[in-house]
């Protein structure tokens, strides 16, 4: 599975961006699909996830209520709508999928098998 992330850019605090992640194969029914981010000098951290078949979603506490993850099965594409962006959201954002993840490992980057190349989001104050 190849993933292609896009949509990053420079935005002022309070603004919005929508990230996209196109998958090369049908993954929605068999994969956990997630978004992670990595700020300069920090470890990669969980942002959002949707389980196989879209049964459940989860968000990091820092983005809950501001970010929304969605999927378009027909396009094999997932999205991350980011609203009310803050300077602390500045990071490289990665999409990822996993065949083997389970609910208890959903937050762990090591549980994910396939990764996009990352797209940079910069939020200015």
């Amino acid at each position: 599975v190849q993933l292609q992330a896009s949509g990053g850019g420079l935005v002022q605090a309070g603004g919005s961006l929508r990230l996209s992640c196109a998958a090369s194969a049908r993954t929605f029914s068999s994969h956990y699909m997630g978004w992670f981010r990595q700020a300069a000098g920090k470890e990669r951290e969980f942002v959002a996830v949707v389980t196989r078949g879209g049964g459940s979603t989860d968000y990091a506490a820092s983005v809950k209520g501001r970010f929304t993850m969605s999927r378009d099965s027909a396009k094999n594409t997932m999205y991350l709508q980011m609203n009310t962006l803050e300077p602390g959201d500045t990071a490289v954002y990665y999409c990822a999928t996993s065949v083997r993840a389970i609910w208890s490992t959903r937050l762990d980057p090591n549980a994910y098998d396939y990764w996009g190349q990352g797209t940079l989001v910069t939020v200015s104050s």
Side-chain angles (χ1 to χ4, degrees):
V1 178
Q2 293 182 326
L3 303 175
Q4 181 72 37
S6 61
L10 173 64
V11 64
Q12 289 188 333
S16 299
L17 282 174
R18 188 177 80 157
L19 306 183
S20 300
C21 179
S24 62
R26 295 187 181 277
T27 58
F28 291 176
S29 63
S30 59
H31 291 223
Y32 270 51
M33 305 184 73
W35 287 95
F36 291 79
R37 67 186 182 186
Q38 188 166 18
K42 295 187 177 181
E43 294 186 352
R44 193 166 299 188
E45 65 175 6
F46 166 79
V47 175
V49 66
V50 59
T51 58
R52 295 179 189 86
S56 298
T57 56
D58 193 22
Y59 297 90
S62 59
V63 308
K64 195 169 293 185
R66 300 187 297 122
F67 290 12
T68 302
M69 186 173 177
S70 62
R71 311 180 311 172
D72 185 332
S73 299
K75 296 182 179 180
N76 291 334
T77 301
M78 62 181 180
Y79 304 96
L80 185 68
Q81 178 66 43
M82 306 185 295
N83 297 329
T84 319
L85 283 160
E86 304 168 352
D89 296 318
T90 295
V92 177
Y93 284 70
Y94 298 91
C95 55
T97 69
S98 175
V99 176
R100 56 192 170 88
I102 56 177
W103 186 251
S104 61
T105 64
R106 71 194 184 280
L107 309 183
D108 183 0
N110 294 317
Y112 288 76
D113 308 299
Y114 305 100
W115 291 84
Q117 83 285 6
T119 184
L120 176 62
V121 172
T122 304
V123 184
S124 63
S125 58

